[in-house]
Amino acid sequence: TFTNKAAGEMRARVLEILDQENMNVRGLTVSTFHSFCARILRDWGDRVIGTSTFTIYDTSDQTSAVKEAIRVCDLSDSNWRPASVLAAISAAKNRLVGPEKFASEASDFYSKSMAKLYRAYDEILRSNAALDFDDLLMKSAQLLQHDLEVKESLEDRYRYVMIDEYQDTNQTQFVIADRIASKHRNICVVGDPDQS
């Protein structure tokens, strides 16, 4: 993953090269994982999150939501730093672990408290019809894992998949790419092993 600005620059370069070669660019998609997943959820979100209309929370919104979750759970923000709580929730989402599974795996005070925070944070997002950046990936991966019609539609739409900066992908992004490329098996990844 990389910034939308970098993705825009890459898109412009790709289109320029293809235009110089008089190649057809119809149907080409160049985007970050996050913007690609936001597009998937705008089309199919009602099947996994109950709506296709949602707000994407930025870092500031996420911090406000987790602070609210800390208050709702009657925990101290001096013991439960918002950045640390968000990092733990993000790590869980990047492993495709939702609040219920996280709670079922919790066995000590810290993990049980974190499970309460994760659940409260998730409820706050849902009550505001919002997703955070990790939700974009996790919900898209879940959709591709559990909805055969969506999976087949995206497999047919994207016959070739290329992922740049592959060393930065996580398990959730792997699942998304694997599901989309599973029919045609035309996938190319580019990464720097020195950065992995």
Side-chain angles (χ1 to χ4, degrees):
T1 55
F2 39 84
T3 66
N4 285 328
K5 181 179 178 183
E9 183 178 326
M10 185 171 74
R11 184 180 306 107
R13 288 181 184 183
V14 167
L15 295 176
E16 182 181 333
I17 290 168
L18 293 177
D19 186 51
Q20 289 172 357
E21 299 290 327
N22 294 318
M23 297 181 78
N24 184 1
V25 296
R26 197 175 120 251
L28 182 68
T29 301
V30 181
S31 71
T32 65
F33 264 105
H34 291 91
S35 63
F36 178 75
C37 289
R39 190 174 318 139
I40 289 172
L41 294 174
R42 298 273 186 227
D43 292 339
W44 305 94
D46 57 318
R47 295 177 179 222
V48 69
I49 58 174
T51 184
S52 295
T53 307
F54 52 86
T55 301
I56 301 172
Y57 272 14
D58 63 16
T59 305
S60 174
D61 298 323
Q62 289 176 267
T63 302
S64 296
V66 84
K67 285 179 179 178
E68 184 179 340
I70 292 168
R71 281 192 300 277
V72 166
C73 292
D74 291 324
L75 296 169
S76 167
D77 60 1
S78 61
N79 293 331
W80 297 94
R81 302 262 183 225
S84 298
V85 173
L86 284 171
I89 293 171
S90 177
K93 289 180 179 184
N94 288 329
R95 293 187 331 270
L96 292 172
V97 174
E100 295 78 24
K101 184 175 181 185
F102 193 95
S104 72
E105 295 173 351
S107 60
D108 58 20
F109 174 77
Y110 172 81
S111 59
K112 287 179 182 182
S113 297
M114 189 59 71
K116 289 178 189 175
L117 288 167
Y118 188 178
R119 182 176 287 124
Y121 174 77
D122 188 61
E123 288 173 4
I124 291 164
L125 265 63
R126 281 190 291 135
S127 70
N128 290 304
L131 300 175
D132 64 20
F133 295 121
D134 295 314
D135 285 329
L136 294 173
L137 303 176
M138 185 173 79
K139 298 301 182 183
S140 295
Q142 290 171 339
L143 181 63
L144 286 162
Q145 286 178 314
H146 303 295
D147 192 312
L148 186 60
E149 182 183 359
V150 173
K151 179 181 175 291
E152 289 175 349
S153 176
L154 292 173
E155 283 175 332
D156 290 340
R157 166 71 178 88
Y158 299 103
R159 295 188 60 205
Y160 299 91
V161 176
M162 182 188 152
I163 302 169
D164 193 17
E165 301 293 340
Y166 190 69
Q167 76 278 355
D168 295 333
T169 58
N170 60 35
Q171 178 182 350
T172 307
Q173 292 164 329
F174 170 79
V175 168
I176 293 165
D178 181 63
R179 293 289 189 254
I180 291 171
S182 64
K183 180 177 181 179
H184 300 288
R185 305 309 303 167
N186 295 319
I187 187 166
C188 173
V189 299
V190 179
D192 183 350
D194 291 335
Q195 293 182 37
S196 63

